[in-house]
């Protein structure tokens, strides 16, 4: 991971925890990781070598070269008063919090980089969008599944809006399993079968030689069951409704 020796994490919820687990995925004790004293911090410090629990957020900053800030967006003003020297790198993973907003709170000249790590970074299987590009930050996320730097913060916000669709996908799977159960299939069997169906879809997404429309076509025969469900349930009206929802979310993400 280049010259990065010490990583700090302020806000050790799901994403902060996933980053720590990803950095420790292969058992490598570097870089050292320093955690704020809440959330999953104590458990992670017990589980992993060179993961340390700090007494407060300032100690995290003082002991780190790169500080990942993963507190909830509405709690960002609690960071006011931290002293972050200009030789540190700050990675902002708070949804909807711009670098300008965070800089005004932190009052620092340190480089600020926004990022969108997803839970799958714990398995090093998720591409992370970053803005602006930074070689140290890019190298860290390359280890965790890949970095996707973008030059424009407006484009970054579009990627951020896309992450808001994840639980809708799970809700879709829940609906399928519930429908099957309503027809007499045991709920455990319905759950197992639906998982198997979409685990196969997930594997197919790893084939970078096929476009998304091509992958969809691979799973559909003319006048077959998949075409019937797609054209009957997921038609243009549903597609347009989803796009309107994303436009509204994007507008909120861009609102100061």
């Amino acid at each position: 991971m280049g010259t990065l020796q010490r990583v700090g994490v302020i806000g050790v919820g799901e994403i902060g925890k996933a980053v720590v687990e990803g950095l420790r995925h292969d058992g490598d004790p570097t870089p050292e990781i320093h955690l704020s004293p809440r959330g999953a911090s104590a458990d992670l410090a017990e589980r992993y070598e060179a993961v340390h629990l700090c007494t407060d957020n300032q100690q995290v900053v003082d002991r780190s070269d790169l500080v990942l800030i993963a507190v909830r967006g509405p709690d960002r003003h609690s960071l006011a008063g931290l002293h972050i020297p200009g030789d540190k790198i700050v990675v902002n993973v708070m949804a909807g919090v711009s670098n300008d907003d965070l800089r005004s709170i932190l009052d620092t000249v340190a480089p600020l980089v926004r990022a969108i790590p997803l839970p799958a970074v714990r398995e090093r299987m998720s591409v992370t969008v970053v803005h602006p590009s930074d070689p140290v930050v890019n190298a860290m996320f390359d280890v965790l599944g890949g970095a996707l730097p973008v030059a424009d913060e407006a484009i970054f916000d579009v990627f951020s809006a896309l992450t808001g669709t994840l639980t809708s996908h799970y809700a879709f799977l829940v609906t399928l399993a519930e429908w099957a159960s309503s027809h007499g299939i045991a709920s455990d069997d319905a759950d197992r079968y639906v998982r198997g169906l979409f685990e196969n879809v997930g594997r197919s997404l790893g084939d970078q030689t096929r476009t998304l429309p091509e992958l969809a076509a691979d799973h559909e025969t003319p006048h077959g069951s998949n075409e019937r469900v797609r054209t009957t349930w997921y038609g243009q009206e549903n597609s347009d409704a989803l796009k309107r929802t994303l436009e509204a979310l994007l507008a909120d993400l861009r609102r100061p």
Side-chain angles (χ1 to χ4, degrees), residues 44-100:
L44 291 168
E46 289 179 3
R47 287 167 55 195
Y48 296 111
E49 180 183 359
V51 174
H52 307 289
L53 184 62
C54 294
T55 58
D56 56 32
N57 292 341
Q58 187 62 57
Q59 191 175 74
V60 174
V61 173
D62 295 342
R63 293 183 174 182
S64 305
D65 305 308
L66 178 151
V67 181
L68 186 141
I69 296 182
V71 302
R72 295 173 60 253
D75 297 333
R76 63 192 183 278
H77 295 287
S78 67
L79 302 168
L82 281 179
H83 173 63
I84 302 181
D87 61 348
K88 310 284 186 179
I89 300 172
V90 177
V91 180
N92 167 19
V93 303
M94 296 180 287
V97 179
S98 71
N99 282 339
D100 286 344

Side-chain angles (χ1 to χ4, degrees), residues 94-112:
M94 296 180 287
V97 179
S98 71
N99 282 339
D100 286 344
D101 186 2
L102 182 58
R103 189 177 298 282
S104 69
I105 293 169
L106 296 177
D107 189 26
T108 181
V109 297
L112 267 59

Side-chain angles (χ1 to χ4, degrees), residues 33 52 75 78 89 98 110 134 137 167 201 215-216 218 231 233 253:
I33 301 176
H52 307 289
D75 297 333
S78 67
I89 300 172
S98 71
D134 179 278
V137 178
T167 57
V201 170
L215 288 174
D218 290 344
T231 58
W233 174 71
L253 289 172

Side-chain angles (χ1 to χ4, degrees), residues 211-244:
T211 66
L212 290 176
E214 287 172 339
L215 288 174
D218 290 344
H219 290 78
E220 187 173 283
T221 56
H223 310 297
S225 298
N226 277 280
E227 183 186 77
R228 177 172 177 172
V229 173
R230 178 180 59 80
T231 58
T232 304
W233 174 71
Y234 192 73
Q236 191 62 48
E237 183 178 353
N238 278 8
S239 178
D240 290 343
L242 176 57
K243 291 174 182 176
R244 288 194 300 272

